[in-house]
Amino acid sequence: MRARPIVSAIAATVIFAGAAAAADGAGKDDAIAMVKKATAFIKEQGPDKAYPEISNKAGRFIDRDLYVVVYQLDGKVLAHGSNEKFVGKDMIDAQDVDGKLYVKERVELAGKQTSFWQDYKFVNPVSKKVEPKQMYCEKLDNTAVCAGIYKL
């Protein structure tokens, strides 16, 4: 009979810890919503106005550790919410810490699918550590509009 309160306390702790962790970082629904918001903004404003706003660290496309990146399907970065230095660069040969050609894979997936999730590792702008990441992307014309979450 004593096990029941202990099990309840453990379950409550696990649930609370999970909720606290989720509150710190963005989740899958947040990434999908952010990509949809960015694609709508690009369609409404056009790339010339939208890309600078997406790349603005103080702009509307940054939420905790969540930010938007737009790639041309040849691997060139058109907008990057975490690091403006990537804008204009050809990232097709970029590799993560495991040697995965994540940009090459991403643009290939965008050429075949209208939306998808992709796993790789990248520096979390909040923790400044390389962490497992899942990127959600939607194809928009000859681009991939993406936002990713860091997995715990």
Side-chain angles (χ1 to χ4, degrees):
M1 290 291 196
R2 289 184 185 202
R4 211 171 267 229
I6 292 170
V7 170
S8 295
I10 292 170
T13 302
V14 168
I15 290 168
F16 177 76
D24 292 339
K28 282 188 167 189
D29 291 342
D30 298 316
I32 292 168
M34 185 69 82
V35 168
K36 293 195 180 304
K37 179 178 163 184
T39 54
F41 189 72
I42 294 165
K43 287 176 184 177
E44 290 167 12
Q45 299 295 317
D48 291 343
K49 288 184 181 178
Y51 294 165
E53 178 62 20
I54 289 169
S55 296
N56 178 1
K57 282 191 173 188
R60 66 185 97 181
F61 296 100
I62 306 286
D63 179 16
R64 296 163 288 170
D65 59 353
L66 183 65
Y67 57 90
V68 174
V69 182
V70 181
Y71 293 93
Q72 201 165 273
L73 294 186
D74 63 2
K76 181 179 177 183
V77 178
L78 301 174
H80 200 292
S82 176
N83 191 339
E84 235 180 306
K85 292 177 183 176
F86 287 134
V87 175
K89 294 198 177 188
D90 179 357
M91 299 294 289
I92 198 75
D93 293 326
Q95 296 180 29
D96 72 2
V97 295
D98 296 329
K100 182 175 190 170
L101 294 166
Y102 65 94
V103 175
K104 184 174 194 243
E105 179 184 78
R106 186 170 303 151
V107 297
E108 286 174 357
L109 288 168
K112 299 173 189 168
Q113 303 171 46
T114 56
S115 66
F116 57 90
W117 283 95
Q118 178 200 31
D119 292 316
Y120 67 111
K121 293 179 181 168
F122 201 74
V123 177
N124 181 325
V126 175
S127 73
K128 307 293 187 216
K129 295 178 183 173
V130 174
E131 299 176 6
K133 186 169 183 173
Q134 281 189 304
M135 186 72 98
Y136 175 74
C137 300
E138 289 187 3
K139 184 177 179 186
L140 176 62
D141 301 323
N142 69 333
T143 69
V145 180
C146 308
I149 60 167
Y150 292 89
K151 300 191 293 183
L152 302 175

